Amino acid sequence: MSKIKTFHVGGIHPDKFKISSEAAISDAPLPQTAVIPVRQHIGAPAKILVKKGDFVKVGSLIADADGIISADVHSSVSGEVIKVEDGETSGGYFEKMITIRVEGDEWEESIDRNPEINREITLSSEEIINIIRQSGVVGMGGAGFPTPVKVDVPEGKKVDCLIINGIECEPYLTADDRLMQECAEQIVIGAKILNKALGIQKAIIAVDENKQKAIENLRKITRSYVGVNVEVCDTKYPQGAEKQLIAAVTGREVPPGCLPIDVNCVVQNAGTAFAVYEAVQKKKPLFERIVTVSGDGIENPMNLRVRIGTPASDLIKLCRPKSDIGKIIFGGPMMGTAVINADAPITKTTSGVLLMEEKSVFVPEEGACIRCATCVNVCPQGLEPYAIAEFTRNGEYQEAKKIHVLDCIECGCCSYSCPARISLLDYCKLAKYEIRKKK
Amino acid sequence: MWYFLRGDDENMTSLMFYNMAILAAIAVVSAVILYFTAKKFKTESNVLAQEIAEILPQANCGACGSAGCQDFANRCAKATSEDFKGLYCPVGGKNVMTKVAAKLGFDVQSHEPMVAVLHCNGTCDNAPDKVEYTGLKSCRLANRVFVGKTGCPNGCLRMGDCVANCPFGALEIDKKTGLPKVDEKKCTACGNCVKICPRGLFEIRPVGKDGIRVYVACKNTQKGALARKNCKAACIGCMKCAKICGDVKIENNLSDIPACVDALQYGEMLAQGCPTGAIVYTGKINNE
């Protein structure tokens, strides 16, 4: 056994609540109408290619990437386009969405639906990047950064290490865990494909040590793949954050204001590696993902393979919610966002739908800061959240910038552990918004 | 030196003399040093600017566009009569500007008195809360996270960033309506609320004759039915007001009554004609 690795600044150990880790991935039923937002990624919204009345198949391109930092959007269902207008997002705002009434389940002919694993990688680096771009693959961890941009290494930069992020440090979520248990080989092949695209030989799959089954599975498979190693990391939050993961696995520290590529690393989520495998080996664009439906307000927690655009309320009904729901969260309980519209569609970045009971979402009143420095201890970026909060309260955003508020990764460790229950993360976020706005 | 401390009268006198002499010597030396340093490091100070600065309100609010009152005074002192036309202290108003103009020998510019108005009528009754928000009480943060408790994507978030940011205490959250209320007596039209509001709901408008003005208290650009779902007082772009007065413009399902519309003539008609109550008229309405 190799030594368990971790990062050394801050971090917390919240309760895990991985109640859905034994639930095998099952297919969610097709929705009656799918609502597909054209902006499911960071960057410019995609340009809409279809109009009302068009018939689309599963996997048809319906919106084209607009610019470099953008991603293609494909239809996840077959049927008639009935609306191309503003739809309500999870936050209640209105954005351009394509609504498709589902008729049957007719796939594009080019997609290989044979369940057999295709192990041979024949394409060149450019071809792979092109296919990833055409398949609309984005980071599946939550941020939704377009994958081709990350894989296409800019000139003058060198990459020597690809890290596949199999760490799911958020409580409740088990989507990546199940994927690594059930589709380990596809993830490993996905890593090899990404390796080839980057032109390197080495890939590390990082998994936290509470996923023993996934680790065993991956270890068994990586024996026959040269260059792919499994690295076990400590179960600690936020171990799955990019910078913390690089620190744990390689010991390199990403300097303030820099990207992982500046320390010669590229980090991809396990779900993204799987999507890359499907895109390159099976010609299947990204139109479905694994979603964990869980939380203490759910009677039957599940891991579902969901078509993009399915309303979250469909999934919630499937998993039998309890009666007194206080909050619905997209993503994990630490970094996810509470939603006000349960009919909002599942997007490429929705890793979980959590329902929390009324009693567990109680927010106590904010107390006064007692200068205990707990927030400083737990901050994985080594910041001083209490000081940032103080500056933000007084509107001194430039002072907050001087103490590196822009390096905040918004993990929420400070708010979680503050004994006075000050919403420190909210202050950090506000300061970041204000500084970026002033530029 | 210890003989000073023996304590007889004669020595006491000499002790005092020595002390005074030493202090006087230090004073002379320091004066000389100070004289030369003051000459060496002399900074150009404009007496005129100092005098103008003394007239100004010293609120340092930035409403005039300068970085505080001293900066404004410097600009005034350097200004030609042409430049001076563009300089105005909205906080001090006509009173202060007359005094400044008198100092400079220019004519005073007549500026209409202005006041901040809120373009939202989404009170607790008109737009009831639909969801609970437990995060930080800050409009600017909440605006990024979600649409707001009322569900209106353009309406007031009712958390009072403007109140906290008003340097003159002219704003407060009305407990009944939940909306910020402008105290016309205290409001100096400095424009800080315009800058801070994440949804741009404030506008600096002329106070109007006898404080009577008329404006559309809504910024919602959604279609009528959608807008009314969240707020009873939403503008639905029904064009009724445009028929009453030709100057009213309607764009994106939203009516805009410009400040040039005569409130005394049209105000009452416009406010009574609006089917949703999105038009606010500050004068008295005769209900007969």
Side-chain angles (χ1 to χ4, degrees):
Chain A
M1 279 294 273
S2 58
K3 214 177 127 203
I4 290 173
K5 296 191 169 181
T6 188
F7 59 98
H8 295 291
V9 181
I12 52 173
H13 296 88
D15 292 339
K16 292 292 158 217
F17 298 112
K18 301 277 190 189
I19 48 179
S20 53
S21 64
E22 293 304 317
I25 298 170
S26 54
D27 283 325
L30 286 178
Q32 302 213 313
T33 52
V35 187
I36 304 170
V38 294
R39 204 186 60 151
Q40 304 180 23
H41 46 263
I42 287 178
K47 276 182 290 188
I48 298 166
L49 298 176
V50 289
K51 56 183 188 303
K52 197 180 161 183
D54 285 1
F55 187 85
V56 291
K57 290 180 189 171
V58 177
S60 306
L61 184 68
I62 53 173
D64 197 12
D66 188 11
I68 295 166
I69 313 268
S70 186
D72 289 354
V73 178
H74 298 79
S75 174
S76 60
V77 290
S78 66
E80 190 192 336
V81 178
I82 53 170
K83 257 196 290 186
V84 182
E85 56 185 55
D86 287 357
E88 203 173 347
T89 61
S90 59
Y93 283 113
F94 285 78
E95 275 183 15
K96 278 266 177 293
M97 293 187 190
I98 298 166
T99 310
I100 301 164
R101 190 174 53 225
V102 179
E103 290 159 21
D105 193 23
E106 195 184 329
W107 290 42
E108 286 277 350
E109 288 81 31
S110 57
I111 300 170
D112 177 9
R113 296 183 72 178
N114 186 356
E116 226 168 79
I117 295 171
N118 185 355
R119 294 183 177 81
E120 214 172 323
I121 305 162
T122 50
L123 300 167
S124 74
S125 169
E126 285 84 44
E127 282 168 323
I128 290 170
I129 294 172
N130 233 345
I131 289 175
I132 295 175
R133 184 171 291 130
Q134 282 159 12
S135 306
V137 180
V138 302
M140 309 273 273
F145 192 80
T147 304
V149 184
K150 247 181 172 179
V151 178
D152 203 355
V153 183
E155 243 175 84
K157 297 270 162 75
K158 213 183 85 209
V159 175
D160 60 12
C161 185
L162 168 73
I163 304 171
I164 300 296
N165 186 352
I167 289 167
E168 215 163 27
C169 51
E170 286 255 15
Y172 288 108
L173 299 187
T174 54
D176 287 351
D177 183 10
R178 283 313 303 182
L179 197 65
M180 286 187 292
Q181 288 182 36
E182 292 176 32
C183 309
E185 184 148 21
Q186 285 94 317
I187 292 172
V188 174
I189 297 167
K192 286 307 282 181
I193 295 168
L194 286 168
N195 256 355
K196 189 149 189 202
L198 291 163
I200 56 172
Q201 298 300 321
K202 202 174 131 196
I204 298 169
I205 302 179
V207 188
D208 43 352
E209 50 96 31
N210 65 347
K211 297 185 179 52
Q212 282 306 328
K213 276 184 193 165
I215 295 168
E216 276 170 35
N217 225 344
L218 285 165
R219 282 230 165 99
K220 220 184 289 165
I221 287 156
T222 45
R223 262 177 227 144
S224 50
Y225 288 88
V226 184
V228 183
N229 288 316
V230 179
E231 199 76 72
V232 180
C233 294
D234 191 15
T235 310
K236 187 165 149 188
Y237 181 86
Q239 182 67 75
E242 212 169 41
K243 290 172 183 174
Q244 278 60 39
L245 185 60
I246 292 171
V249 174
T250 65
R252 298 171 196 170
E253 195 180 333
V254 183
C258 292
L259 294 169
I261 197 115
D262 296 315
V263 291
N264 307 339
C265 286
V266 168
V267 181
Q268 294 287 359
N269 191 266
T272 317
F274 183 72
V276 165
Y277 163 81
E278 291 210 309
V280 176
Q281 305 293 70
K282 298 280 179 191
K283 306 277 172 286
K284 184 180 157 194
L286 179 59
F287 59 75
E288 57 183 15
R289 68 157 297 139
I290 317 294
V291 177
T292 302
V293 184
S294 184
D296 57 9
I298 283 276
E299 276 179 15
N300 180 24
M302 288 170 103
N303 295 297
L304 296 164
R305 185 176 284 112
V306 183
R307 300 283 172 89
I308 305 293
T310 308
S313 50
D314 282 15
L315 308 182
I316 294 168
K317 263 176 234 150
L318 197 71
C319 301
R320 297 204 303 275
K322 290 179 190 166
S323 56
D324 57 337
I325 299 301
K327 207 183 222 176
I328 304 172
I329 303 168
F330 276 12
M334 298 296 287
M335 285 186 76
T337 48
V339 302
I340 71 170
N341 171 27
D343 291 327
I346 300 293
T347 65
K348 289 175 186 175
T349 53
T350 316
S351 49
V353 176
L354 303 185
L355 268 73
M356 307 309 284
E357 271 185 306
E358 187 78 53
K359 62 175 194 286
S360 55
V361 297
F362 168 71
V363 177
E365 201 147 301
E366 198 175 291
C369 176
I370 54 168
R371 306 272 157 161
C372 63
T374 307
C375 52
V376 182
N377 271 339
V378 299
C379 181
Q381 289 289 83
L383 307 178
E384 295 169 286
Y386 78 93
I388 292 167
E390 197 63 46
F391 285 135
T392 312
R393 239 178 248 140
N394 298 337
E396 295 166 12
Y397 304 114
Q398 288 311 314
E399 293 297 313
K401 193 181 170 186
K402 275 184 208 156
I403 54 172
H404 303 289
V405 65
L406 289 181
D407 287 323
C408 168
I409 57 167
E410 303 184 11
C411 62
C413 288
C414 46
S415 291
Y416 177 87
S417 50
C418 177
R421 292 285 165 248
I422 300 169
S423 38
L424 292 159
L425 173 60
D426 285 356
Y427 285 108
C428 295
K429 278 184 180 171
L430 181 59
K432 286 172 80 176
Y433 292 150
E434 288 296 311
I435 293 164
R436 296 216 169 111
K437 198 173 76 187
K438 291 225 166 83
K439 262 181 195 169
Chain B
M1 291 285 275
W2 293 107
Y3 70 94
F4 287 139
L5 302 175
R6 263 184 266 149
D8 47 68
D9 284 357
E10 199 181 316
N11 283 327
M12 213 38 204
T13 322
S14 58
L15 177 67
M16 278 169 68
F17 171 75
Y18 275 116
N19 273 342
M20 281 158 71
I22 290 165
L23 283 172
I26 290 171
V28 169
V29 173
S30 312
V32 171
I33 293 169
L34 278 172
Y35 175 78
F36 284 105
T37 31
K39 272 220 151 165
K40 175 102 182 157
F41 298 105
K42 193 182 176 190
T43 51
E44 291 294 326
S45 82
N46 194 331
V47 185
L48 191 60
Q50 280 312 321
E51 283 173 6
I52 293 169
E54 273 163 32
I55 302 168
L56 295 173
Q58 294 299 346
N60 290 321
C61 61
C64 50
S66 312
C69 290
Q70 186 63 51
D71 188 38
F72 181 73
N74 290 343
R75 278 172 66 187
C76 282
K78 280 182 207 153
T80 59
S81 68
E82 269 307 302
D83 292 344
F84 187 67
K85 278 179 192 163
L87 293 169
Y88 187 73
C89 170
V91 178
K94 209 174 169 185
N95 266 342
V96 164
M97 285 317 285
T98 321
K99 283 183 199 162
V100 175
K103 272 262 182 288
L104 294 163
F106 298 142
D107 287 337
V108 69
Q109 293 295 309
S110 65
H111 270 262
E112 228 175 328
M114 306 287 249
V115 73
V117 296
L118 179 71
H119 284 289
C120 178
N121 205 2
T123 59
C124 295
D125 294 333
N126 286 337
D129 285 356
K130 291 203 179 70
V131 290
E132 218 175 305
Y133 172 75
T134 49
L136 183 67
K137 290 252 176 304
S138 161
C139 308
R140 286 162 298 163
L141 183 73
N143 181 45
R144 298 288 185 127
V145 180
F146 76 130
V147 74
K149 288 187 277 189
T150 64
C152 174
N154 304 92
C156 179
L157 290 155
R158 309 204 287 234
M159 288 180 207
D161 271 15
C162 49
V163 175
N165 200 48
C166 179
F168 301 99
L171 285 164
E172 66 170 335
I173 293 282
D174 193 322
K175 284 206 178 87
K176 239 187 204 165
T177 62
L179 295 173
K181 198 176 159 195
V182 183
D183 186 338
E184 279 180 46
K185 281 183 195 138
K186 288 182 186 167
C187 179
T188 60
C190 69
N192 271 324
C193 47
V194 179
K195 276 181 229 155
I196 199 98
C197 181
R199 295 191 162 172
L201 293 174
F202 279 102
E203 192 201 352
I204 303 297
R205 273 175 98 99
V207 171
K209 225 175 248 174
D210 304 331
I212 292 174
R213 55 192 175 274
V214 63
Y215 56 93
V216 180
C218 187
K219 284 272 182 190
N220 191 308
T221 53
Q222 289 171 319
K223 279 182 184 160
L226 208 52
R228 285 272 283 179
K229 201 177 88 188
N230 295 321
C231 178
K232 278 186 225 159
C235 173
I236 52 174
C238 67
M239 314 288 288
K240 247 185 172 171
C241 44
K243 278 170 201 153
I244 295 169
C245 175
D247 288 337
V248 179
K249 283 185 204 89
I250 295 186
E251 252 177 59
N252 289 332
N253 307 311
L254 179 65
S255 160
D256 176 32
I257 302 179
C260 59
V261 171
D262 187 358
L264 291 172
Q265 192 187 342
Y266 292 112
E268 206 173 330
M269 272 198 284
L270 285 168
Q272 279 180 330
C274 181
T276 62
I279 294 178
V280 171
Y281 174 61
T282 52
K284 271 185 191 162
I285 292 180
N286 269 330
N287 282 323
E288 283 171 12

